[in-house]
Amino acid sequence: MDRAVEPVAEPVGEPVAEPVGEPGERPRIVVTGATGAVGRHVARLLAPVARTRLVVRDPARAADLRLPGEVAVADYRDAPALERAMAGADAVFVVTADPMRPADDENILAAARSAGARHAVRLSWLAVADPGADDLIARWNRNGERLLHASGLSWTVLRMRTPMSNALSWAPSVRAEGVVRALGGTARTACVDPRDVAAVAVRALTEPGHAGRTYALTGPEPLSARDQTRVLSRVLNRPLRFEELTAEQALRRWRARLPEPVAQALLEAARRRGAGEAAAVAHTVAEVTGEPATPFETWAKEHAEHF
Ligand SMILES: NC(=O)c1ccc[n+]([C@@H]2O[C@H](COP(=O)([O-])OP(=O)(O)OC[C@H]3O[C@@H](n4cnc5c(N)ncnc54)[C@H](OP(=O)(O)O)[C@@H]3O)[C@@H](O)[C@H]2O)c1
């Protein structure tokens, strides 16, 4: 049986306020990373209940994704643009993506604080809870959580396991050759639907009761890449083959789009997955949203057109 990861209430960074707007008004919520795997769903789910402002680098991407809400163009390196984007914010969803740039979290939090925002919800990585995880990405996420705790805002941390949407990187070879290629094909991971992570984020951004909480967010079952290939094959109703990559082949692929230290961190994370360290299932999605976590088969059916 898999060890459950319970939501953790961190002993540091006591909440200073709950996320609420002015009485009678929908809260103003700023969503950073609004074009990302989780942020796009946060934007969509928040639209009916909040006045949203979506921070994007490229407004055309927000338009392609048909994201609802006001758009503010800002790069995380551009402090004045971030300050304009945060004007009037009650709460902020924080997504950063570059482990080589810890200043991105600092810039977002500084802009949120100076705009008078009261609550921030940061997307993080569940591996940070593993004391054996000492790769660049784990260290950067731990630092991001520390910055959040020290920000003076009330906070919630969402530690996500691998999002199911990572399987979209297999779509080109599935379409062209009927093949999934990955490193560590038998390593099981409790991958999570990014829409479930977004649903938890929306609760944490709009409801009381989540300040000072750190949530472990996984899907309902641990699956290997080989298991996911079988599920995809069933859903697509055509045979698919799984091909194991060597560590050198996987590194070559990561190096083509990422700096060397990030590629090495991904290799180290794959090694830990191989040792079973990403297989534990948490029940936090259901506890926070009241809805069970989405199985991979459901995610695959709803994204079948990509494959
Ligand atoms: N991906 C995973 O496997 C995984 C697993 C567990 C946890 N996490 C954690 O989830 C968090 C997000 O990571 P991710 O790589 O998965 O994110 P992602 O879905 O790729 O989203 C990143 C978002 O940030 C935006 N962004 C990146 N750099 C920016 C900049 N300089 N200025 C403005 N916007 C910028 C991107 O905008 P553009 O559309 O313009 O690029 C995108 O909207 C990280 O803390 C990561 O450790 C990821």
Side-chain angles (χ1 to χ4, degrees), residues 139-179:
R139 292 197 305 272
W140 159 71
N141 271 302
R142 282 193 194 103
N143 183 58
E145 293 185 11
R146 276 194 293 270
L147 291 168
L148 181 69
H149 297 158
S151 67
L153 307 175
S154 74
W155 54 263
T156 310
V157 172
L158 309 184
R159 289 180 179 165
M160 168 171 79
R161 191 55 87 194
T162 306
M164 290 175 181
S165 47
N166 281 11
L168 290 171
S169 69
W170 301 334
S173 66
V174 166
R175 282 197 307 269
E177 308 165 70
V179 176

Side-chain angles (χ1 to χ4, degrees), residues 32 76 94-98 101 104-105 108 122-123 140-141:
T32 67
Y76 300 154
V94 180
V95 179
T96 51
D98 187 346
R101 283 192 49 84
D104 289 351
D105 277 272
I108 292 170
R122 184 185 190 274
L123 189 61
W140 159 71
N141 271 302

Side-chain angles (χ1 to χ4, degrees), residues 58-67:
D58 177 3
R61 242 174 97 56
D64 283 351
L65 291 166
R66 296 168 196 254
L67 296 180

